[in-house]
Amino acid sequence: MFDWTVAEGIDQLDGSYCFIEGHCTNMNVTYDTTVEEAEAACDAKYGHENWTSFKLGDIDIATVRHPGASSKVTGFHSREITAAYGMAACAMGNFHCDIIYCRDTY
């Protein structure tokens, strides 16, 4: 995955998402984390109603609210934007995978 982000020129976005959301230091998620445990982690981080009602357009809304807050060169500069990506991961069921990827990669 990391090689792909470098090839696509989005590695700074990827890494800053990991660090801003605290995924690199989240030791509560393991390789054995269940979907149910991951959903509980999403509830704790973002609030159940927030991530279960997430829509893909929420990322666009957050980006519009913070013009210039993301760059392929310098990454993300707004937690509102990275939180939207985190809630997307929760809604898609891969939040725990994001955390493991971030810890293993960065």
Side-chain angles (χ1 to χ4, degrees):
M1 181 74 176
F2 177 72
D3 291 339
W4 178 84
T5 66
V6 172
E8 292 296 313
I10 59 169
D11 49 307
Q12 293 300 316
L13 292 166
D14 195 44
S16 61
Y17 160 71
C18 289
F19 284 102
I20 292 170
E21 286 305 297
H23 293 345
C24 297
T25 57
N26 182 336
M27 297 301 161
N28 295 322
V29 172
T30 69
Y31 287 102
D32 298 317
T33 295
T34 65
V35 171
E36 294 78 19
E37 291 167 335
E39 288 177 352
C42 289
D43 289 349
K45 186 162 187 77
Y46 302 113
H48 182 79
E49 183 61 32
N50 291 326
W51 74 265
T52 58
S53 64
F54 175 83
K55 296 173 203 65
L56 198 52
D58 294 344
I59 292 172
D60 294 332
I61 292 168
T63 303
V64 168
R65 282 189 192 141
H66 301 279
S70 63
S71 158
K72 285 185 174 184
V73 175
T74 61
F76 290 112
H77 302 279
S78 165
R79 174 132 198 294
E80 184 178 353
I81 298 171
T82 59
Y85 279 98
M87 286 186 274
C90 290
M92 293 184 295
N94 63 287
F95 179 71
H96 53 310
C97 299
D98 278 14
I99 292 171
I100 294 297
Y101 165 75
C102 290
R103 278 203 335 247
D104 287 353
T105 304
Y106 299 104

